[in-house]
Amino acid sequence: MRPHKFAIGFSAATAFMLAGCSGGDATPSTSPLPPFSTSQTASEQALPYAGAPKVSMPFPEKIFTIDPCADTLDADQTLKAVGKPAETKRVDAETVGPGCQWLNTMTGGQAIMRFATKLKGGLSPIYENVKPKAEIWKPISSLQGFPAVAYVTPSGGTPDRFCQLSIGATDNTTIELTINLGDTSRGKKDPCESANTVADLVMTSLRAKAGV
């Protein structure tokens, strides 16, 4: 049996506990990131594992040094992601990586994207530890050529409002996208479909920046 284990709170860390955000409150509800319990780091194992797909054409490492706000979604893409009125701000997380939040200040709908450079192992620990606890688990064989999975866990939020999407940028690094639907969309849209739409916009920009 593999000795390495990430805490099941992985999805809560990347999602930043956004389920508490609602219309009229432009500030997302956040909680401290839970610690990870490891006896062997993911980087010491052969990647991928636990049934996670291999990233056949990974992003170059330089892509994770760009500004996750200024160099990712432009104004038109931001409006497609969260609608009007939109606010953009950096939301870097010390234990996850650099990130950006796109927020609809009227409805509370938001998208958060992070380069998970501090969480090693790529999609593998997500498949190993998050999949068994997921209420919703939707693998995506190719998101513009990159493997991904959309999921909802009890620690993340409710399935009618919340979805987390993890993209295998390399075998060892993911791009994490969190969607929290606003009040006007709750019950009318599928959060995971919305996550896929926003992820497609993000990947279009990143591929152009990386030249892939």
Side-chain angles (χ1 to χ4, degrees):
M1 178 176 295
R2 182 177 290 107
H4 161 67
K5 287 289 180 184
F6 274 69
I8 294 301
F10 181 93
S11 61
T14 52
F16 248 46
M17 303 298 286
L18 297 177
C21 186
S22 61
D25 180 5
T27 303
S29 173
T30 62
S31 298
L33 297 176
F36 295 104
S37 175
T38 62
S39 58
Q40 180 182 2
T41 64
S43 60
E44 292 174 343
Q45 301 186 65
L47 297 172
Y49 59 82
K54 185 169 181 60
V55 181
S56 58
M57 297 182 65
F59 273 126
E61 291 294 327
K62 67 179 182 180
I63 200 66
F64 306 123
T65 65
I66 70 171
D67 187 316
C69 286
D71 295 331
T72 306
L73 297 188
D74 59 27
D76 289 340
Q77 290 172 319
T78 298
L79 293 182
K80 288 181 182 178
V82 296
K84 295 181 180 180
E87 175 184 280
T88 301
K89 68 177 181 179
R90 288 287 295 264
V91 285
D92 299 353
E94 184 177 350
T95 57
V96 179
C100 187
Q101 177 197 58
W102 298 276
L103 172 71
N104 185 309
T105 57
M106 183 69 69
T107 68
Q110 62 185 306
I112 290 181
M113 187 278 295
R114 287 194 175 92
F115 301 136
T117 54
K118 304 295 182 65
L119 301 177
K120 302 304 181 183
L123 290 173
S124 294
I126 298 173
Y127 268 72
E128 183 175 51
N129 301 300
V130 179
K131 182 179 179 181
K133 298 292 184 179
E135 298 176 63
I136 294 175
W137 181 263
K138 297 181 177 181
I140 301 168
S141 60
S142 178
L143 182 60
Q144 296 202 24
F146 294 81
V149 60
Y151 53 90
V152 179
T153 63
S155 61
T158 58
D160 65 338
R161 188 161 206 159
F162 168 87
C163 189
Q164 180 81 15
L165 196 151
S166 299
I167 306 164
T170 74
D171 283 336
N172 200 39
T173 308
T174 60
I175 295 169
E176 297 296 324
L177 180 67
T178 302
I179 289 292
N180 203 46
L181 294 180
D183 289 338
T184 57
S185 297
R186 188 175 186 179
K188 300 176 181 178
K189 293 183 178 180
D190 182 334
C192 289
E193 289 184 5
S194 296
N196 191 76
T197 298
V198 178
D200 190 63
L201 295 173
V202 168
M203 294 300 283
T204 295
S205 295
L206 294 182
R207 289 186 64 201
K209 291 289 182 183
V212 298

